[in-house]
Amino acid sequence: MSTQTTVQQLRDVVIKFAGDSGDGMQLTGMQFTNNTALLGIDLSTFPDFPAEIRAPQGTLPGVSGFQLHFSSDPVYTPGDSCDVLVAMNAAALKANLKSLKKGGIIIANTDGFDAKNLRLANYPEGVNPLTDGSLDGYIVYEIDITKLTREALKDVDLGMKEKDRAKNMFVLGFLYWLYDRKMESTIHFLQEKFAKKPLILEGNLKALHAGYNYGDTTEAFTTRYRVERAKMPRGTYRSITGNQALALGLIAASQKSGLPLFLGSYPITPASDILHELSKHKNFGVRTFQAEDEIAGISSAIGASYGGCMGVTTTSGPGMALKTEAMGLAVMLEIPLLIIDIQRGGPSTGLPTKTEQSDLLQAYYGRNGECPMPVIAAATPSDCFSAVYEAFRIAVQYMTPVIFLSDGYIANGAEPWRFPKAADLPPIEVKFKTQLDEGEEKFMPYQRDERYVRPWAVPGTPGLEHRIGGLEKQHITGNVSYDPDNHQLMVKLRQAKVDAVADDIPLQTLDSGPESGDLLVLGWGSTYGAIKGAVKSLQQQGYAVAHAHLRYLRPFPKNLGEILRNYKQVLIPEINNGQLIKIIRDQFLIDAKGYHKIMGIPITKSELEEHIKSLLG
Amino acid sequence: MDTTAVQTPQSLTPKDFATDQEVRWCPGCGDYSILKQVQTVMPTLGIPRENIVIISGIGCSSRFPYYMNTYGMHSIHGRATAIASGLKACRPELSVWIVTGDGDGLSIGAGHMVHILRRNFDVNILLFNNQIYGLTKGQYSPTSEENKITKSTPYGSIDHPFNPAALALGADATFVARSMDRDPKHLQDMLKRAHAHKGASFLEIYQNCNIFNDGAFEIFTEKATKADETIFLEHGKPLLFGAQRNKGIRLDGLKPVVVSLDEGYSADDLWIHDEHDLYKAQMLVRLFDDPSVEGHFPRPFGVFYEAQRPSYEELMQQQIEAATGKYGVGDLDKLLAGSETWTIY
């Protein structure tokens, strides 16, 4: 009985919810995440799902997972390995057992370990991991979740299939009991979600309570766990994913700049959620256009920017490749534009739902001709907000397309976010040319200011009618020009304009560590948490290791070279085969070392820590 | 804002629409006539010059914006329609004209062409059809006839050509018309009609490339053959043609047939053109046979079809207004906070 259970304090827990891709594990994980966040516990999540919507049931490729790391201490990553594994079937156990800590807890749905499921999970005939002793080193809670859910819902007028779909709520209820939680957040969520389906609502609520009560009344469970809130800076927080933060950052920048937002986009994993999110917010004047293809996505955004709106296009690697020619047009036109690439495993279709820092070289060099544009990358889910806000600012103030890089890991991962007040966001000044200046006889569309930026004159402005296009422009007049000297000048001017952005961005700082020493770990993008965790751990062990993380990838902050030269070694870990490292070697002529993981999954803190130790001898 | 409501303060002339850029089409190119007719028509439309935008792709015709003193963009191959869609979505009050060709609009840009038509953005699409690739010096195009000998088809083209008007109608275009470079008056009329139509207007213009495909439309444009080989469509009028105006097309059930008024038929027996009849329009655009084959139909010119359907940008604006009416003007602080927050003191 509940009176006999003890509550044990824990500082740090990693749970992995794993089941069939139709088992509702993503929803279960997100619910537990929100519940955790609302208690002020720090957290980080990592959803990991197959590319197929409903991969063959019960098989290894069909396993969908959601990993949640929550702690009273600062959390940097979703965790290298888990303390608790929820396995809805045999395949879920098999696929995830290797990432469960020795002595960890397994919550197994016994119904998912019948002969059929064991066969689908490729266990040899007659072998059941629940009974053959192979899990002896773990604490295994065997629960017939399917049966218990059906039992709890026996009076609800739903078909068997619908009843079984509430299994995930039983699991969630049980975990709420196990971690000593209140369930209001999920009850409220279900009431909203199923407001128009009272029977489904009833079934889900019954399953949720049944799971909780099962923990409470079954004597097998004697210990409950509690994780206290983390010491986070004062303020008001919410939980946010990378793609959500990105969408909000775009709307915020649109509001602060006064430029209406236009998104031209073609659905692609893992970027589509930005289109979904932005399409909800029409009362902010947001225009979303689901184009017929990737090329129309960016082209329509170019049209919008030409008309004086902020044109944005969102995509992932293969779509970015298709947009290449239009990106070149935007460079030639010198108009603001945002190209947002939520990277995934490549090349070609590659690994659509797996993460990879796949496109830095594409962002840098992947166009015909000399075609520079600024590149900015987000480091964490909440960082997407301010990073994309900054990308928007640069695009508008420098009349240039800007590439923004995120990846699947950041896009779908969630973390607490101390969101800003609208009034505290920096202003984004926009200057349209509205008339000829005094003494100006004719509008010169390519007359640049001291930062090499040309004026933005939009259709509808009397007296400034002009023509632009993809053919090389004559300096100042913007007329078509094939003059050799002019082409050289214009190539240099376009480069100089992008380079000048370096005068307008913060100097690079260290995330942690000494200003000089044995080794600097230089990172960009989603490796942030793993690098931060590994470097901090090494610092505590007395190593002279520092961490710098780049948001501005093109141009680099002006002091980057100086920082790099303050360390005996520079290590650049990337989830690719070495991309930033090529650019750093090229620009700074240093013998940087790489650490490359190309498995569609993030680098873990512990593997990186080991690797750094090996470099330091 | 509706452009038609905005009147030009001072009257403009065709000269006001010319630029200081030297026109660089080949001497004798049909594009000159089209440019002239557009410059002639523009001042009559009552649109302030600054509200006109001409967007083109790549190809000979796509040089057009450089020669029009309006706003303009000479973009990339095939994408003018997509660029115009984004512009029009954001700036519904602008008068947007797309200038494209048979290669730009029906080959590399065919994908976007059908989508702008079905979405019905309120734009005017001028498709210069010369049935050849001119800028790349003479390869066959998607409208070139079968067996055509070109640089890339020394044994003759085995491609079956597009029928542009039928394609546009198949994509549910709300305005489909055809004209030609060598009939200035008709072309001016069609330009005016295209502009007057609210929604996507698809105007195919036969245009002679005197360098790589000279005389492709001779049979329709030259005095000796024009009257017998063409039929000019007028709403509510019978389909009458011929130098003596003594031939017509009548419907024998669902089958169009050419009849002679000298053989017992009167104008009352003929097919009466109805621009708003989709079924008849689908038959009319199919009068597209090879003029060298005995018993062929004359080629129709004029407005095949016109229908009213809300434009994309209009519907988009309505959704924005409806959402704003329902939820109020967006409150950024509320948006950033979302539905669930917690505070650390």
Side-chain angles (χ1 to χ4, degrees):
Chain A
M1 301 299 285
S2 60
T3 46
Q4 293 163 348
T5 57
T6 56
V7 175
Q8 190 186 331
Q9 292 280 345
L10 295 175
R11 291 202 70 80
D12 198 89
V13 176
V14 178
I15 300 182
K16 180 140 194 183
F17 299 87
D20 235 4
S21 55
D23 278 343
M25 290 297 99
Q26 301 302 324
L27 186 131
T28 311
M30 275 313 285
Q31 281 303 305
F32 199 86
T33 300
N34 283 347
N35 190 285
T36 306
L38 290 171
L39 291 171
I41 300 166
D42 201 4
L43 63 87
S44 169
T45 71
F46 178 45
D48 181 20
F49 42 83
E52 297 78 14
I53 301 303
R54 294 278 187 278
Q57 237 184 349
T59 63
L60 289 163
V63 174
S64 170
F66 187 100
Q67 189 164 315
L68 165 65
H69 179 190
F70 57 103
S71 178
S72 310
D73 298 318
V75 171
Y76 305 131
T77 75
D80 292 359
S81 53
C82 35
D83 303 290
V84 180
L85 171 63
V86 176
M88 296 301 283
N89 62 20
L93 178 80
K94 194 170 195 189
N96 291 289
L97 190 60
K98 61 181 180 303
S99 64
L100 181 64
K101 283 178 193 157
K102 282 286 162 238
I105 296 173
I106 296 168
I107 297 168
N109 174 25
T110 50
D111 185 55
F113 287 79
D114 63 10
K116 186 182 169 201
N117 273 291
L118 290 166
R119 192 173 63 246
L120 286 169
N122 292 337
Y123 280 102
E125 194 64 36
V127 172
N128 183 347
L130 296 181
T131 56
D132 70 356
S134 62
L135 302 178
D136 282 354
Y138 303 96
I139 300 163
V140 183
Y141 295 146
E142 288 181 37
I143 309 175
D144 193 340
I145 295 168
T146 311
K147 192 174 139 200
L148 288 165
T149 305
R150 284 179 188 173
E151 180 65 24
L153 271 60
K154 65 177 188 292
D155 296 332
V156 185
D157 189 17
L158 287 174
M160 197 60 81
K161 228 177 167 179
E162 283 161 317
K163 285 183 183 176
D164 283 355
R165 286 177 70 180
K167 287 196 304 248
N168 61 336
M169 286 300 117
F170 185 96
V171 174
L172 186 60
F174 177 68
L175 282 165
Y176 281 154
W177 176 83
L178 193 63
Y179 287 91
D180 195 25
R181 299 290 179 83
K182 292 192 167 63
M183 304 200 289
E184 270 68 28
S185 63
T186 293
I187 292 169
H188 182 72
F189 165 82
L190 291 172
Q191 281 166 344
E192 267 196 2
K193 186 174 165 78
F194 299 119
K196 285 179 185 155
K197 294 174 180 165
L199 280 177
I200 307 260
L201 173 65
E202 189 190 346
N204 275 284
L205 287 175
K206 279 202 161 152
L208 184 72
H209 284 107
Y212 191 94
N213 294 339
Y214 180 76
D216 215 17
T217 55
T218 308
E219 293 181 10
F221 309 112
T222 55
T223 313
R224 302 169 78 180
Y225 306 96
R226 187 181 295 148
V227 174
E228 292 295 328
R229 65 166 50 198
K231 277 204 196 81
M232 296 203 271
R234 276 185 205 173
T236 305
Y237 288 76
R238 65 174 288 184
S239 173
I240 197 144
T241 68
N243 276 351
Q244 277 175 338
L246 206 159
L248 297 191
L250 290 172
I251 294 175
S254 159
Q255 294 279 304
K256 296 294 274 196
S257 64
L259 291 179
L261 188 68
F262 175 91
L263 174 71
S265 179
Y266 187 73
I268 186 170
T269 302
S272 306
D273 281 340
I274 306 167
L275 169 62
H276 304 163
E277 183 66 31
L278 285 175
S279 64
K280 290 180 200 162
H281 302 295
K282 293 197 163 45
N283 60 330
F284 287 85
V286 176
R287 289 175 165 80
T288 53
F289 178 65
Q290 184 176 311
E292 58 271 21
D293 59 31
E294 295 281 358
I295 297 171
I298 186 171
S299 297
S300 60
I302 288 173
S305 287
Y306 176 65
C309 293
M310 184 63 205
V312 181
T313 190
T314 48
T315 190
S316 188
M320 173 102 144
L322 284 165
K323 295 181 195 296
T324 297
E325 188 197 12
M327 285 160 68
L329 174 66
V331 165
M332 208 64 152
L333 298 178
E334 302 194 39
I335 54 166
L337 184 73
L338 268 180
I339 301 115
I340 292 168
D341 177 6
I342 314 297
Q343 303 162 97
R344 66 190 217 187
S348 186
T349 312
L351 303 169
T353 61
K354 308 294 174 193
T355 199
E356 194 165 296
Q357 294 180 305
S358 47
D359 301 332
L360 180 60
L361 291 179
Q362 184 179 202
Y364 242 82
Y365 303 120
R367 292 169 290 282
N368 63 310
E370 301 292 335
C371 198
M373 58 180 82
V375 180
I376 284 182
T380 71
S382 68
D383 186 49
C384 286
F385 180 85
S386 51
V388 85
Y389 194 90
E390 180 68 344
F392 190 118
R393 177 189 75 83
I394 291 171
V396 170
Q397 294 181 347
Y398 286 83
M399 292 291 283
T400 179
V402 174
I403 294 174
F404 181 89
L405 296 176
S406 168
D407 63 28
Y409 176 64
I410 296 174
N412 293 318
E415 66 180 358
W417 177 41
R418 190 165 55 138
F419 54 91
K421 285 233 170 1
D424 297 338
L425 292 169
I428 298 177
E429 202 195 326
V430 181
K431 265 199 337 220
F432 286 117
K433 184 156 174 97
T434 54
Q435 57 185 33
L436 292 174
D437 294 330
E438 217 165 280
E440 209 178 5
E441 272 182 25
K442 193 172 177 255
F443 176 49
M444 295 293 162
Y446 281 74
Q447 176 89 57
R448 295 163 194 276
D449 67 11
E450 65 287 354
R451 301 164 309 148
Y452 310 103
V453 179
R454 79 174 194 89
W456 195 4
V458 302
T461 315
L464 302 185
E465 293 86 357
H466 66 285
R467 276 64 56 193
I468 53 178
L471 285 169
E472 181 60 285
K473 300 278 154 286
Q474 187 178 48
H475 181 46
I476 299 173
T477 67
N479 291 330
V480 174
S481 168
Y482 301 107
D483 177 68
D485 291 336
N486 178 74
H487 179 53
Q488 172 132 349
L489 174 67
M490 291 300 276
V491 167
K492 297 284 188 190
L493 281 171
R494 286 188 287 263
Q495 181 69 55
K497 181 177 79 168
V498 172
D499 292 344
V501 172
D503 295 327
D504 196 23
I505 58 174
L507 291 177
Q508 184 64 41
T509 55
L510 294 177
D511 192 72
S512 72
E515 281 181 14
S516 63
D518 294 331
L519 188 139
L520 173 76
V521 185
L522 180 68
W524 68 281
S526 69
T527 51
Y528 177 75
I531 298 176
K532 189 184 184 84
V535 168
K536 285 211 158 191
S537 168
L538 288 163
Q539 287 162 1
Q540 280 161 11
Q541 297 166 51
Y543 290 96
V545 178
H547 172 203
H549 214 77
L550 292 168
R551 167 183 279 190
Y552 302 92
L553 290 159
R554 188 178 201 179
F556 289 124
K558 288 202 285 193
N559 62 334
L560 181 61
E562 204 180 306
I563 290 177
L564 295 175
R565 291 189 178 93
N566 285 337
Y567 300 86
K568 288 179 194 150
Q569 295 190 69
V570 173
L571 173 69
I572 303 179
E574 293 180 84
I575 314 174
N576 57 40
N577 203 24
Q579 300 198 11
L580 177 63
I581 191 171
K582 290 191 177 71
I583 300 166
I584 292 289
R585 284 174 173 168
D586 170 39
Q587 293 202 15
F588 301 105
L589 295 173
I590 62 160
D591 182 21
K593 300 282 189 299
Y595 180 77
H596 310 133
K597 184 170 183 175
I598 323 147
M599 302 168 77
I601 50 176
I603 293 173
T604 64
K605 166 183 167 278
S606 45
E607 70 181 291
L608 188 59
E609 196 175 324
E610 286 310 306
H611 183 75
I612 296 170
K613 275 185 185 167
S614 75
L615 287 177
L616 293 171
Chain B
M1 217 174 28
D2 189 347
T3 39
T4 51
V6 183
Q7 289 304 313
T8 330
Q10 80 273 30
S11 58
L12 296 166
T13 66
K15 259 184 136 174
D16 292 314
F17 285 90
T19 67
D20 58 2
Q21 297 297 295
E22 186 194 348
V23 182
R24 290 195 188 171
W25 289 310
C26 308
C29 175
D31 289 354
Y32 283 94
S33 165
I34 304 173
L35 176 64
K36 185 156 189 294
Q37 307 327 319
V38 172
Q39 286 176 340
T40 303
V41 163
M42 282 291 180
T44 71
L45 301 179
I47 319 165
R49 207 168 45 174
E50 65 271 16
N51 278 0
I52 299 170
V53 185
I54 300 177
I55 298 185
S56 66
I58 293 292
C60 291
S61 58
S62 288
R63 295 296 181 101
F64 205 89
Y66 292 122
Y67 310 136
M68 289 292 298
N69 193 7
T70 62
Y71 281 90
M73 187 197 295
H74 176 213
S75 75
I76 44 176
H77 209 8
R79 318 303 170 201
T81 35
I83 292 169
S85 299
L87 175 63
K88 193 70 185 173
C90 289
R91 301 285 307 277
E93 78 279 16
L94 297 173
S95 175
V96 176
W97 299 67
I98 295 160
V99 174
T100 182
D102 42 316
D104 189 63
L106 296 179
S107 195
I108 194 166
H112 308 305
M113 179 64 78
V114 288
H115 290 281
I116 197 170
L117 294 175
R118 78 175 165 90
R119 289 189 182 112
N120 201 34
F121 277 100
D122 184 15
V123 296
N124 305 310
I125 301 164
L126 312 183
L127 186 128
F128 297 14
N129 182 6
N130 57 16
Q131 300 188 347
I132 198 78
Y133 280 66
L135 198 64
T136 50
K137 301 195 194 308
Q139 301 82 11
Y140 72 104
S141 91
T143 55
S144 297
E145 65 277 17
E146 285 174 20
N147 302 315
K148 191 174 190 67
I149 306 283
T150 71
K151 277 192 184 147
S152 57
T153 49
Y155 297 102
S157 164
I158 53 174
D159 277 33
H160 183 73
F162 264 138
N163 173 340
L167 181 74
L169 202 60
D172 279 354
T174 54
F175 179 94
V176 181
R178 182 186 291 139
S179 189
M180 59 174 93
D181 54 1
R182 299 220 176 149
D183 191 335
K185 198 186 159 302
H186 186 260
L187 180 52
Q188 288 179 23
D189 287 346
M190 289 301 107
L191 290 167
K192 287 178 191 166
R193 285 290 310 270
H195 166 71
H197 174 69
K198 215 177 143 302
S201 305
F202 181 87
L203 175 59
E204 180 191 18
I205 305 168
Y206 283 171
Q207 172 247 321
N208 189 45
C209 172
N210 57 323
I211 303 297
F212 296 107
N213 201 19
D214 196 22
F217 305 110
E218 214 166 28
I219 194 167
F220 309 127
T221 58
E222 295 317 298
K223 224 173 178 172
T225 49
K226 184 176 177 179
D228 287 317
E229 293 295 342
T230 62
I231 186 160
F232 283 81
L233 307 169
E234 284 182 82
H235 182 63
K237 300 267 176 70
L239 296 191
L240 203 59
F241 71 106
Q244 316 301 324
R245 304 291 285 167
N246 62 345
K247 290 189 275 187
I249 299 174
R250 79 180 285 267
L251 276 173
D252 182 6
L254 286 173
K255 201 170 152 17
V257 285
V258 173
V259 295
S260 166
L261 297 191
D262 305 333
E263 289 165 14
Y265 288 105
S266 78
D268 294 341
D269 298 319
L270 298 181
W271 174 344
I272 307 297
H273 182 47
D274 180 357
E275 290 173 357
H276 310 304
D277 187 328
L278 178 60
Y279 300 101
K280 282 187 177 167
Q282 293 185 56
M283 296 168 85
L284 268 183
V285 293
R286 289 292 170 184
L287 301 187
F288 193 64
D289 32 26
D290 184 345
S292 65
V293 174
E294 190 65 29
H296 64 270
F297 286 99
R299 189 69 57 95
F301 291 82
V303 178
F304 291 95
Y305 183 65
E306 185 183 24
Q308 295 302 320
R309 194 165 79 225
S311 69
Y312 187 98
E313 64 270 27
E314 202 178 335
L315 295 173
M316 188 178 231
Q317 194 57 38
Q318 280 171 15
Q319 280 198 339
I320 289 173
E321 281 161 20
T324 309
K326 192 169 174 192
Y327 303 108
V329 175
D331 177 336
L332 187 54
D333 278 313
K334 268 194 192 159
L335 178 73
L336 298 184
S339 54
E340 289 177 314
T341 63
W342 68 97
T343 302
I344 301 208
Y345 299 99

